[in-house]
Amino acid sequence: MAVKYKLLKAIDISGLSFLSPVVRLVTGEEPAKQVREIGRFIVVPVVAFLVFLWLWSVLAPKHKTKAGEVPTPTVVWDAAGGIWRFHERESAKESAYQLTGPDREEKLTAARARLGELDALEAGAKEQLDAAEASSKERFDAIVAPSKAAHEQAQATARQSRRDRTAALREKASAAASSPDERSALLREMRAADATAEVEKAKVDALKDAYAEAQEVAFPQVKSARNALTRLAEERQFLVKYIDMLSDNSREAKVAVAKQKLDEATAAYDSAAPDADLYKLGGAVLKRQELLATTEASQYAKPWTLPKQIVRSLLCVFTGFLLASVIAIPIGILCGLSPTFMAATTPFVALFKPVSPLVWLPIIMIIVGGFMPDPENHWLVVAFGKVPFIKDYKIDPMFLSSAITVALCSLWATLVNTALGVASVDKDHMNVARVLRLGFADRLLKIVIPTALPLIFAGLRISLGVGWMVLVAAEILSTSEGIGKFVNDMYTNGSSQSFAQMFVVVFIVGIIGMLLDRIMVVFQRLVSFDTAQAAI
């Protein structure tokens, strides 16, 4: 029983109240009631989500865009796998570049063996693709042929009709009298002929679109076989580069070459004749020494992958969130303690709270740029570049601009809730504090802030959610490396695969936002004094 109540308390604190009926059912508490609750809070949402996925898979292929069909859930899932494979392979290349000794030889042997296996796998995949295309050719032609014939027939009919109308109008024009009425009638007929031509053109265009759509019909077995062959080709491309990183282009190999050239330059300098150009030979030695030092410290130029961009976005949003909290909480406390200070602050809240991040960001970028005319050598960037974890995520003016924009857009909820929480402190508590002659600091730290904490954390929860929403827009506009930059790159690419990857980002942003919200719910519940369930 003690375990049961501990679980229920943990569920209550985390705001995951839909799990409570499961715990109660397992412990035998009112089984019929718990089954109903499970059906209401677990089964119904799951069914609703499955219906959503079904509608998405049915409706998505019906809408065509310049990037192809709207991706279905299956395509989006495959795109998510592609994003992860790209991340793993780039990480493998980075690791391969730094490997030395027996580990490098072991990985190199395994990679070459896998590359040899791909020959047979690709041959089999090609055979499957040819067989799938052959089996579907008759059905494909049956779908395409009627559309093609209808389009060609309509095109020929429209062309002949236009020629006949033109000839008839030319004949009438040459035989028309000079009276204004006949000329007006001729203009009306010409206008009507143009309208008829537009109608025929629209019909031909519609049939052309239908013909193009028929040509794009993809049979599942053909599509599956083509995807399998594409994945093998991508793996081959990776293995070729991976083997290159493990052999000639590995850091160990480059260091060996650099050392050999340094030894040659040093030997040439040491054995030079008295009348030789020692200045030139000495300069060569120094250059080889610098090259060796640079090579020994070199790293693989790993491109930004989505997992790394997600981490950078989280760093950015928490930087902005902490900055917003440092500003909002003290001001909110002062507002709650002093009606005069609140009156002075209210106009600023009303004025700046509705301002969009798309307005703030360019202004902040200009201001930050003014403070950092030479970003690479600025003391703040240099300092962050020495921090072990932070240095890998490129803290630059664009990062700082995005974080400040997040702070400016998210601090208002914390400020308002803090002021409300402080202002609602029971007056009796304050009177007791005065009777006990507690100083301002004691009243603030022992009465005001503890009492206001639930509302302060409610404001922090809202602020973090707002900051996460603002961040993606800020990164898109500032082209700062992060989730927003990934979305912008995929939009610029414009391919069907990029379109599917943008849908992947939708779910990633939603899941991360949900997790951040759950974390804040836990903190909010831990400092709350009531037993009410957390808001959804």
Side-chain angles (χ1 to χ4, degrees), residues 114-125:
R114 176 59 182 172
L115 187 61
E117 294 173 359
L118 286 183
D119 294 333
L121 293 174
E122 286 181 325

Side-chain angles (χ1 to χ4, degrees), residues 78-403:
D78 290 340
I83 290 173
W84 183 250
R85 283 193 300 274
F86 176 72
H87 170 71
E88 285 188 321
R89 287 170 179 174
E90 289 302 321
S91 299
K93 292 178 190 176
E94 182 181 31
S95 175
Y97 180 75
Q98 301 173 5
L99 283 176
T100 59
D103 291 338
R104 182 167 69 89
E105 293 299 329
E106 181 182 350
K107 294 289 185 182
L108 183 59
T109 302
R112 285 173 174 165
R114 176 59 182 172
L115 187 61
E117 294 173 359
L118 286 183
D119 294 333
L121 293 174
E122 286 181 325
K126 186 67 170 60
E127 289 179 1
Q128 291 182 357
L129 177 60
D130 292 340
E133 288 178 341
S135 64
S136 62
K137 187 177 185 305
E138 183 176 348
R139 293 168 58 198
F140 180 79
D141 292 341
I143 294 173
V144 172
S147 300
K148 181 180 180 181
H151 171 251
E152 291 177 348
Q153 179 62 35
Q155 196 174 36
T157 301
R159 189 181 300 115
Q160 185 61 44
S161 177
R162 185 168 59 253
R163 290 173 181 170
D164 293 343
R165 285 194 301 272
T166 301
L169 289 171
R170 287 183 180 277
E171 184 178 350
K172 288 185 178 180
S174 61
S178 59
S179 66
D181 291 341
E182 291 184 353
R183 294 190 177 187
S184 296
L186 178 61
L187 286 175
R188 286 194 297 271
E189 291 185 23
M190 291 176 66
R191 191 176 296 111
D194 289 341
T196 303
E198 288 295 327
V199 172
E200 292 176 344
K201 182 178 181 301
K203 181 180 178 181
V204 171
D205 289 343
L207 291 172
K208 182 181 179 181
D209 292 340
Y211 175 40
E213 185 176 346
Q215 288 179 303
E216 293 177 359
V217 171
F219 296 96
Q221 63 271 26
V222 176
K223 191 173 181 180
S224 176
R226 188 175 289 118
N227 288 341
L229 187 60
T230 301
R231 287 188 181 180
L232 290 172
E234 290 175 351
E235 186 178 1
R236 173 178 290 278
Q237 184 180 16
F238 156 69
L239 286 172
V240 169
K241 185 65 177 176
Y242 184 64
I243 291 172
D244 188 43
M245 290 289 104
L246 287 168
S247 52
D248 295 339
N249 271 330
S250 69
R251 185 167 63 185
E252 185 180 37
K254 288 183 176 181
V255 167
V257 172
K259 284 182 178 178
Q260 180 184 354
K261 291 184 177 180
L262 174 59
D263 292 341
E264 293 173 356
T266 303
Y269 180 78
D270 292 339
S271 62
D275 59 343
D277 190 351
L278 294 178
Y279 179 81
K280 181 178 180 181
L281 293 173
V285 171
L286 293 178
K287 287 182 180 178
R288 292 300 178 186
Q289 288 176 344
E290 292 176 1
L291 178 61
L292 176 60
T294 302
T295 305
E296 288 176 336
S298 64
Q299 300 291 331
Y300 173 68
K302 181 182 177 181
W304 284 87
T305 59
L306 184 56
K308 186 176 180 180
Q309 289 172 316
I310 290 172
V311 175
R312 191 174 190 270
S313 292
L314 288 170
L315 284 175
C316 188
V317 77
F318 276 110
T319 301
F321 173 68
L322 292 175
L323 179 61
S325 302
V326 168
I327 296 171
I329 292 176
I331 296 177
I333 291 173
L334 291 175
C335 288
L337 292 174
S338 171
T340 303
F341 191 84
M342 180 179 287
T345 306
T346 299
F348 295 98
V349 177
L351 180 63
F352 294 123
K353 183 180 178 182
V355 177
S356 167
L358 301 182
V359 177
W360 279 123
L361 183 62
I363 298 173
I364 300 304
M365 289 170 64
I366 294 171
I367 294 174
V368 171
F371 281 105
M372 296 183 172
D374 184 13
E376 296 295 329
N377 298 317
H378 192 272
W379 66 267
L380 186 61
V381 175
V382 173
F384 279 124
K386 296 178 180 179
V387 180
F389 176 75
I390 301 297
K391 67 180 182 180
D392 297 330
Y393 292 94
K394 194 180 177 183
I395 307 302
D396 57 6
M398 294 300 100
F399 177 94
L400 297 175
S401 298
S402 299

Side-chain angles (χ1 to χ4, degrees), residues 7-26:
L7 286 174
L8 291 175
K9 183 178 180 180
I11 289 171
D12 179 62
I13 290 174
S14 63
L16 304 176
S17 56
F18 65 90
L19 294 177
S20 295
V22 177
V23 175
R24 296 181 187 278
L25 179 64
V26 170

Side-chain angles (χ1 to χ4, degrees), residues 450-530:
T451 305
L453 271 180
L455 276 174
I456 292 175
F457 272 91
L460 289 172
R461 178 187 175 191
I462 297 171
S463 290
L464 185 57
V466 170
W468 184 242
M469 288 190 293
V470 165
L471 177 69
V472 177
E475 288 179 339
I476 289 175
L477 191 60
S478 67
T479 64
S480 176
E481 285 293 351
I483 296 177
K485 176 70 161 48
F486 180 87
V487 173
N488 190 49
D489 290 344
M490 294 303 101
Y491 175 77
T492 304
N493 190 326
S495 67
S496 58
Q497 183 180 8
S498 301
F499 194 21
Q501 290 176 346
M502 292 168 69
F503 275 79
V504 175
V505 173
V506 170
F507 286 95
I508 290 174
V509 171
I511 291 171
I512 293 175
M514 180 179 65
L515 293 176
L516 294 177
D517 184 71
R518 290 299 97 185
I519 292 171
M520 294 308 298
V521 165
V522 171
F523 286 116
Q524 182 183 351
R525 298 290 291 166
L526 286 173
V527 299
S528 296
F529 305 112
D530 55 60

